[in-house]
PDB file of all heavy atoms in Angstrom:
ATOM      1  N   ILE A  34      11.865  49.868 -43.677  1.00  0.00           N
ATOM      2  CA  ILE A  34      10.627  49.194 -44.007  1.00  0.00           C
ATOM      3  C   ILE A  34      10.726  47.726 -43.652  1.00  0.00           C
ATOM      4  O   ILE A  34       9.801  47.117 -43.190  1.00  0.00           O
ATOM      5  CB  ILE A  34      10.302  49.365 -45.527  1.00  0.00           C
ATOM      6  CG1 ILE A  34      10.071  50.821 -45.858  1.00  0.00           C
ATOM      7  CG2 ILE A  34       9.113  48.524 -45.924  1.00  0.00           C
ATOM      8  CD1 ILE A  34       9.928  51.110 -47.299  1.00  0.00           C
ATOM      9  N   ASN A  52       2.408  28.483 -29.420  1.00  0.00           N
ATOM     10  CA  ASN A  52       1.230  27.632 -29.703  1.00  0.00           C
ATOM     11  C   ASN A  52       1.675  26.178 -29.775  1.00  0.00           C
ATOM     12  O   ASN A  52       0.985  25.276 -29.306  1.00  0.00           O
ATOM     13  CB  ASN A  52       0.589  28.055 -31.059  1.00  0.00           C
ATOM     14  CG  ASN A  52      -0.121  29.380 -30.913  1.00  0.00           C
ATOM     15  OD1 ASN A  52      -0.466  29.786 -29.839  1.00  0.00           O
ATOM     16  ND2 ASN A  52      -0.323  30.056 -32.046  1.00  0.00           N
ATOM     17  N   ASN A  58       2.103  20.622 -24.564  1.00  0.00           N
ATOM     18  CA  ASN A  58       1.739  20.424 -23.174  1.00  0.00           C
ATOM     19  C   ASN A  58       0.369  19.783 -23.087  1.00  0.00           C
ATOM     20  O   ASN A  58       0.079  18.932 -22.235  1.00  0.00           O
ATOM     21  CB  ASN A  58       1.749  21.748 -22.400  1.00  0.00           C
ATOM     22  CG  ASN A  58       3.172  22.246 -22.173  1.00  0.00           C
ATOM     23  OD1 ASN A  58       4.126  21.438 -22.208  1.00  0.00           O
ATOM     24  ND2 ASN A  58       3.362  23.531 -21.926  1.00  0.00           N
ATOM     25  N   HIS A  67      -4.882   9.613 -20.098  1.00  0.00           N
ATOM     26  CA  HIS A  67      -5.284   8.312 -20.619  1.00  0.00           C
ATOM     27  C   HIS A  67      -4.306   7.204 -20.228  1.00  0.00           C
ATOM     28  O   HIS A  67      -4.599   6.054 -20.453  1.00  0.00           O
ATOM     29  CB  HIS A  67      -5.410   8.353 -22.144  1.00  0.00           C
ATOM     30  CG  HIS A  67      -6.528   9.242 -22.639  1.00  0.00           C
ATOM     31  ND1 HIS A  67      -7.867   8.918 -22.412  1.00  0.00           N
ATOM     32  CD2 HIS A  67      -6.537  10.422 -23.289  1.00  0.00           C
ATOM     33  CE1 HIS A  67      -8.623   9.847 -22.956  1.00  0.00           C
ATOM     34  NE2 HIS A  67      -7.837  10.752 -23.469  1.00  0.00           N
ATOM     35  N   GLN A  78      -1.322  -4.873 -27.400  1.00  0.00           N
ATOM     36  CA  GLN A  78      -0.912  -4.168 -28.588  1.00  0.00           C
ATOM     37  C   GLN A  78      -0.088  -5.110 -29.502  1.00  0.00           C
ATOM     38  O   GLN A  78      -0.206  -5.044 -30.696  1.00  0.00           O
ATOM     39  CB  GLN A  78      -0.082  -2.940 -28.245  1.00  0.00           C
ATOM     40  CG  GLN A  78      -0.814  -1.881 -27.430  1.00  0.00           C
ATOM     41  CD  GLN A  78      -2.054  -1.367 -28.145  1.00  0.00           C
ATOM     42  OE1 GLN A  78      -2.045  -1.161 -29.328  1.00  0.00           O
ATOM     43  NE2 GLN A  78      -3.135  -1.173 -27.394  1.00  0.00           N
ATOM     44  N   ALA A  84       0.118 -10.271 -35.430  1.00  0.00           N
ATOM     45  CA  ALA A  84      -0.830 -10.877 -36.376  1.00  0.00           C
ATOM     46  C   ALA A  84      -0.614 -10.271 -37.755  1.00  0.00           C
ATOM     47  O   ALA A  84      -0.663 -10.971 -38.787  1.00  0.00           O
ATOM     48  CB  ALA A  84      -2.232 -10.670 -35.895  1.00  0.00           C
ATOM     49  N   VAL A 121      -0.417 -17.475 -25.391  1.00  0.00           N
ATOM     50  CA  VAL A 121      -0.091 -18.089 -24.098  1.00  0.00           C
ATOM     51  C   VAL A 121       0.618 -17.089 -23.181  1.00  0.00           C
ATOM     52  O   VAL A 121       0.304 -16.979 -21.981  1.00  0.00           O
ATOM     53  CB  VAL A 121       0.769 -19.342 -24.299  1.00  0.00           C
ATOM     54  CG1 VAL A 121       1.338 -19.837 -22.937  1.00  0.00           C
ATOM     55  CG2 VAL A 121      -0.011 -20.446 -24.954  1.00  0.00           C
ATOM     56  N   LYS A 156     -20.630  -2.404  20.585  1.00  0.00           N
ATOM     57  CA  LYS A 156     -22.010  -2.620  21.043  1.00  0.00           C
ATOM     58  C   LYS A 156     -22.046  -3.465  22.310  1.00  0.00           C
ATOM     59  O   LYS A 156     -22.951  -3.300  23.128  1.00  0.00           O
ATOM     60  CB  LYS A 156     -22.842  -3.278  19.943  1.00  0.00           C
ATOM     61  CG  LYS A 156     -23.246  -2.338  18.810  1.00  0.00           C
ATOM     62  CD  LYS A 156     -24.271  -2.940  17.888  1.00  0.00           C
ATOM     63  CE  LYS A 156     -23.685  -4.021  17.018  1.00  0.00           C
ATOM     64  NZ  LYS A 156     -24.640  -4.487  16.012  1.00  0.00           N
ATOM     65  N   ASN A 158     -19.633  -3.568  24.568  1.00  0.00           N
ATOM     66  CA  ASN A 158     -18.727  -3.029  25.605  1.00  0.00           C
ATOM     67  C   ASN A 158     -19.524  -2.696  26.864  1.00  0.00           C
ATOM     68  O   ASN A 158     -20.563  -2.037  26.823  1.00  0.00           O
ATOM     69  CB  ASN A 158     -18.028  -1.788  25.054  1.00  0.00           C
ATOM     70  CG  ASN A 158     -16.859  -1.369  25.943  1.00  0.00           C
ATOM     71  OD1 ASN A 158     -17.021  -0.964  27.064  1.00  0.00           O
ATOM     72  ND2 ASN A 158     -15.671  -1.520  25.405  1.00  0.00           N
ATOM     73  N   LEU A 161     -20.860   0.868  28.023  1.00  0.00           N
ATOM     74  CA  LEU A 161     -22.131   1.448  27.544  1.00  0.00           C
ATOM     75  C   LEU A 161     -23.214   1.438  28.633  1.00  0.00           C
ATOM     76  O   LEU A 161     -24.084   2.256  28.659  1.00  0.00           O
ATOM     77  CB  LEU A 161     -22.631   0.691  26.300  1.00  0.00           C
ATOM     78  CG  LEU A 161     -21.961   0.988  24.976  1.00  0.00           C
ATOM     79  CD1 LEU A 161     -22.478   0.073  23.874  1.00  0.00           C
ATOM     80  CD2 LEU A 161     -22.137   2.429  24.586  1.00  0.00           C
ATOM     81  N   VAL A 179     -23.138   4.063  10.865  1.00  0.00           N
ATOM     82  CA  VAL A 179     -21.845   3.622  10.336  1.00  0.00           C
ATOM     83  C   VAL A 179     -21.993   2.229   9.720  1.00  0.00           C
ATOM     84  O   VAL A 179     -21.441   1.962   8.636  1.00  0.00           O
ATOM     85  CB  VAL A 179     -20.776   3.626  11.415  1.00  0.00           C
ATOM     86  CG1 VAL A 179     -19.455   3.056  10.904  1.00  0.00           C
ATOM     87  CG2 VAL A 179     -20.558   5.042  11.965  1.00  0.00           C
ATOM     88  N   ASP A 195     -18.231 -27.114  -0.275  1.00  0.00           N
ATOM     89  CA  ASP A 195     -19.360 -28.042  -0.352  1.00  0.00           C
ATOM     90  C   ASP A 195     -20.326 -27.743   0.799  1.00  0.00           C
ATOM     91  O   ASP A 195     -20.062 -26.841   1.603  1.00  0.00           O
ATOM     92  CB  ASP A 195     -18.911 -29.502  -0.376  1.00  0.00           C
ATOM     93  CG  ASP A 195     -18.100 -29.893   0.876  1.00  0.00           C
ATOM     94  OD1 ASP A 195     -18.315 -29.268   1.944  1.00  0.00           O
ATOM     95  OD2 ASP A 195     -17.234 -30.786   0.773  1.00  0.00           O
ATOM     96  N   ASN A 206     -18.580 -19.124  12.736  1.00  0.00           N
ATOM     97  CA  ASN A 206     -19.026 -17.721  12.840  1.00  0.00           C
ATOM     98  C   ASN A 206     -19.980 -17.532  14.001  1.00  0.00           C
ATOM     99  O   ASN A 206     -19.887 -16.479  14.723  1.00  0.00           O
ATOM    100  CB  ASN A 206     -19.721 -17.286  11.526  1.00  0.00           C
ATOM    101  CG  ASN A 206     -18.705 -17.094  10.385  1.00  0.00           C
ATOM    102  OD1 ASN A 206     -17.544 -16.808  10.602  1.00  0.00           O
ATOM    103  ND2 ASN A 206     -19.186 -17.294   9.169  1.00  0.00           N
ATOM    104  N   SER A 240       4.473 -30.190   2.380  1.00  0.00           N
ATOM    105  CA  SER A 240       3.747 -30.919   1.321  1.00  0.00           C
ATOM    106  C   SER A 240       2.240 -30.774   1.461  1.00  0.00           C
ATOM    107  O   SER A 240       1.482 -31.540   0.874  1.00  0.00           O
ATOM    108  CB  SER A 240       4.150 -32.389   1.361  1.00  0.00           C
ATOM    109  OG  SER A 240       3.858 -32.969   2.634  1.00  0.00           O
ATOM    110  N   HIS A 242       0.213 -31.444   3.943  1.00  0.00           N
ATOM    111  CA  HIS A 242      -0.513 -32.496   4.692  1.00  0.00           C
ATOM    112  C   HIS A 242      -0.756 -31.987   6.121  1.00  0.00           C
ATOM    113  O   HIS A 242       0.113 -31.401   6.743  1.00  0.00           O
ATOM    114  CB  HIS A 242       0.305 -33.794   4.722  1.00  0.00           C
ATOM    115  CG  HIS A 242       0.387 -34.462   3.394  1.00  0.00           C
ATOM    116  ND1 HIS A 242       1.461 -34.286   2.538  1.00  0.00           N
ATOM    117  CD2 HIS A 242      -0.484 -35.260   2.730  1.00  0.00           C
ATOM    118  CE1 HIS A 242       1.263 -35.002   1.420  1.00  0.00           C
ATOM    119  NE2 HIS A 242       0.103 -35.574   1.505  1.00  0.00           N
ATOM    120  N   GLN A 278      -6.677 -13.837  15.980  1.00  0.00           N
ATOM    121  CA  GLN A 278      -5.523 -13.146  16.421  1.00  0.00           C
ATOM    122  C   GLN A 278      -5.763 -11.665  16.604  1.00  0.00           C
ATOM    123  O   GLN A 278      -5.310 -11.059  17.562  1.00  0.00           O
ATOM    124  CB  GLN A 278      -4.364 -13.388  15.448  1.00  0.00           C
ATOM    125  CG  GLN A 278      -3.791 -14.811  15.519  1.00  0.00           C
ATOM    126  CD  GLN A 278      -2.786 -15.096  14.387  1.00  0.00           C
ATOM    127  OE1 GLN A 278      -2.814 -14.470  13.337  1.00  0.00           O
ATOM    128  NE2 GLN A 278      -1.903 -16.027  14.618  1.00  0.00           N
TER     129      GLN A 278
END
Side-chain angles (χ1 to χ4, degrees):
I34 296 174
N52 289 337
N58 288 339
H67 293 292
Q78 299 300 320
V121 170
K156 283 191 289 187
N158 194 292
L161 284 175
V179 175
D195 58 29
N206 287 333
S240 57
H242 290 96
Q278 287 172 336

